[in-house]
Amino acid sequence: MADGTEVTTGHSGLSIPKAAFFIVGEIAGSGVLALPKAVEDTGWIGLVIITACSFLSAYTGHILGKAWIITSHRFRDCRGHVPDPYPLIGEKAYGKWGRQIVNISINVTLFGVGTVFLLLASENIESLFKDVGWDLSFCVWCIILAAILTPVTWLGTPSDFWQVAVGATIATAIACVVLIANISLEAKDLADEPLVHNKIKFLDFFTAFGTIVFAFGGHPAFPTFQNDMKKQKDFKWAVFFGYLIVLLMYFPVSTAGYFVYGKSLDDNILNTVCHTNYTHPHCKKGMTVAIQILITLHLMFGFVIVLNPFCQQVESGLFKVDSRKFTIKRVLVRSGLVALVLFIAETIPHFGAILSLVGGSTTTLLAYVCPSVFYLKLCRTPHDEELVEPDDGGTNVRPAKLPGTEPDGTITIPFWEKVMNYEIVAIGLIAGVASTISAVIGIVQPDTFTVPCYAR
């Protein structure tokens, strides 16, 4: 802006609604399917955890956005098109090791999310085609889907494919409505059967916590979405509306699944609804098929969304490819990354294990630890550089002063906000370590081992 009060992208970027659609499109799909089982493993307190994680994730997403505003305000290399904004925040706050921690965590998280989305979509398609007599293994469907989605991953930055985010959000919203209706109808058939819940165990509880965190942890891609917005300072509203929509999807589905099915819940609720045999009088096969199709569409769209920030980071950092230009190098790099995700999916063909492990470790770190740690560090770091407007002829303008800025360049934070951020970090670290250990123990247990697809 000409008055220097805000940072803009310098191009026709994402609006608030479009950015909110990207947030929903990135995170909503797997949570709808996996959270009912997570609530069963945590008990009714899981519903409280879901609500708390929604608000905390929205807050830390907002804090991460403020950290990006500070870095783009202070440093020239953080303005304009930036393919790796989250690692840059880490670098400006804590140097090279801050960048490396974020880099490694993002790589693990986005690979994990992409793998989960590919596995879930393949399982849904396998189930759909079994109903019409075409029994093809989901291991094969993983390969087919990866081949179909690879050309779509060649699209440059989020502003180039915002329609994908809108499609993902609409598909999941409709699927949630139909799923709740289907569960309500089947509840009539189960009314005379006793509702039994699992006994809560330490291992299951914290493994489920990792699943819940995973369902809300879209933070690795948030700075990329923000960097692609017309007005980056408005990202807080995109985060607010995005998480509000996600909570409105997650909470009713999780509540209905927990109070209707109890211990019979599968890791994927679609394998529980109608018991997959459509024998209950109120079970509607057409509704179940519609849910599977809509959720599969979301997972396919979400796969493209979550992989994009990682693709930009790899191609710009390792191969010096400009994400804004379509080149053969971009095609080769992104195709190779999809192939690597496919290899992981074929090696660990059990989405629940990946989801809990990634959710408890790197997702917790990126969603509940790094945003607060980086924000607090940037605010208390003096900054003496004279504030100037860019001289490269671009439209990005560096504001003269951020709200709360002191004469030495530090930014004042209210005491209550400092305390809240420290509490978020502490809770994130404790719960994250417990969830990671629980997930690892669960993966190495003999009865949970899954043979790789290529070894079958």
Side-chain angles (χ1 to χ4, degrees), residues 229-280:
M229 290 185 69
K230 294 178 183 177
K231 298 180 180 179
Q232 295 182 14
K233 69 180 182 64
D234 289 340
F235 183 69
K236 59 184 178 182
W237 296 112
V239 170
F240 172 77
F241 289 117
Y243 272 105
L244 178 62
I245 294 171
V246 168
L247 182 61
L248 291 176
M249 291 178 179
Y250 283 174
F251 195 86
V253 172
S254 301
T255 302
Y258 175 73
F259 285 108
V260 172
Y261 299 114
K263 67 181 299 182
S264 64
L265 278 165
D266 186 81
D267 285 346
N268 182 347
I269 193 173
L270 296 185
N271 295 332
T272 303
V273 176
C274 294
H275 296 267
T276 69
N277 56 16
Y278 314 111
T279 56
H280 285 159

Side-chain angles (χ1 to χ4, degrees), residues 176-406:
C176 287
V177 173
V178 179
L179 179 57
I180 293 170
N182 210 353
I183 294 174
S184 300
L185 289 172
E186 192 173 15
K188 299 177 182 179
D189 299 309
L190 299 173
D192 295 331
E193 299 181 16
L195 179 63
V196 180
H197 291 292
N198 288 322
K199 184 178 180 180
I200 300 175
K201 302 176 182 178
F202 178 88
L203 180 65
D204 293 338
F205 183 93
F206 281 100
T207 301
F209 176 82
T211 299
I212 295 172
V213 171
F214 184 97
F216 287 102
H219 296 63
F222 285 0
T224 301
F225 299 157
Q226 182 180 13
N227 190 53
D228 233 29
M229 290 185 69
K230 294 178 183 177
K231 298 180 180 179
Q232 295 182 14
K233 69 180 182 64
D234 289 340
F235 183 69
K236 59 184 178 182
W237 296 112
V239 170
F240 172 77
F241 289 117
Y243 272 105
L244 178 62
I245 294 171
V246 168
L247 182 61
L248 291 176
M249 291 178 179
Y250 283 174
F251 195 86
V253 172
S254 301
T255 302
Y258 175 73
F259 285 108
V260 172
Y261 299 114
K263 67 181 299 182
S264 64
L265 278 165
D266 186 81
D267 285 346
N268 182 347
I269 193 173
L270 296 185
N271 295 332
T272 303
V273 176
C274 294
H275 296 267
T276 69
N277 56 16
Y278 314 111
T279 56
H280 285 159
H282 291 91
C283 177
K284 304 298 182 182
K285 180 176 180 179
M287 293 173 68
T288 304
V289 171
I291 296 167
Q292 287 180 306
I293 293 174
L294 289 167
I295 290 294
T296 302
L297 286 174
H298 173 98
L299 294 169
M300 293 171 67
F301 292 148
F303 180 86
V304 176
I305 294 172
V306 300
L307 214 59
N308 182 265
F310 176 66
C311 288
Q312 289 192 56
Q313 180 182 330
V314 171
E315 64 192 12
S316 64
L318 296 180
F319 300 97
K320 310 304 178 184
V321 177
D322 189 342
S323 301
R324 296 167 295 180
K325 298 179 181 178
F326 186 85
T327 62
I328 187 64
K329 287 182 69 175
R330 180 208 283 182
V331 171
L332 293 176
V333 171
R334 297 194 180 190
S335 299
L337 292 176
V338 173
L340 191 54
V341 171
L342 175 62
F343 174 75
I344 295 174
E346 298 281 324
T347 303
I348 313 176
H350 179 51
F351 81 90
I354 300 173
L355 190 149
S356 298
L357 178 60
V358 175
S361 57
T362 56
T363 302
T364 301
L365 185 66
L366 292 170
Y368 300 123
V369 178
C370 288
S372 294
V373 170
F374 292 165
Y375 174 67
L376 292 173
K377 178 64 163 60
L378 289 168
C379 287
R380 68 172 180 263
T381 301
H383 185 68
D384 299 327
E385 181 183 351
E386 183 181 355
L387 303 179
V388 295
E389 294 188 1
D391 54 8
D392 57 1
T395 57
N396 290 339
V397 175
R398 190 176 184 181
K401 180 179 291 188
L402 292 174
T405 302
E406 300 294 335

Side-chain angles (χ1 to χ4, degrees), residues 71 75 77-78 87-95 377-378 381:
T71 54
F75 306 100
D77 58 344
C78 297
L88 259 182
I89 296 173
E91 180 180 337
K92 301 307 181 184
Y94 284 99
K377 178 64 163 60
L378 289 168
T381 301

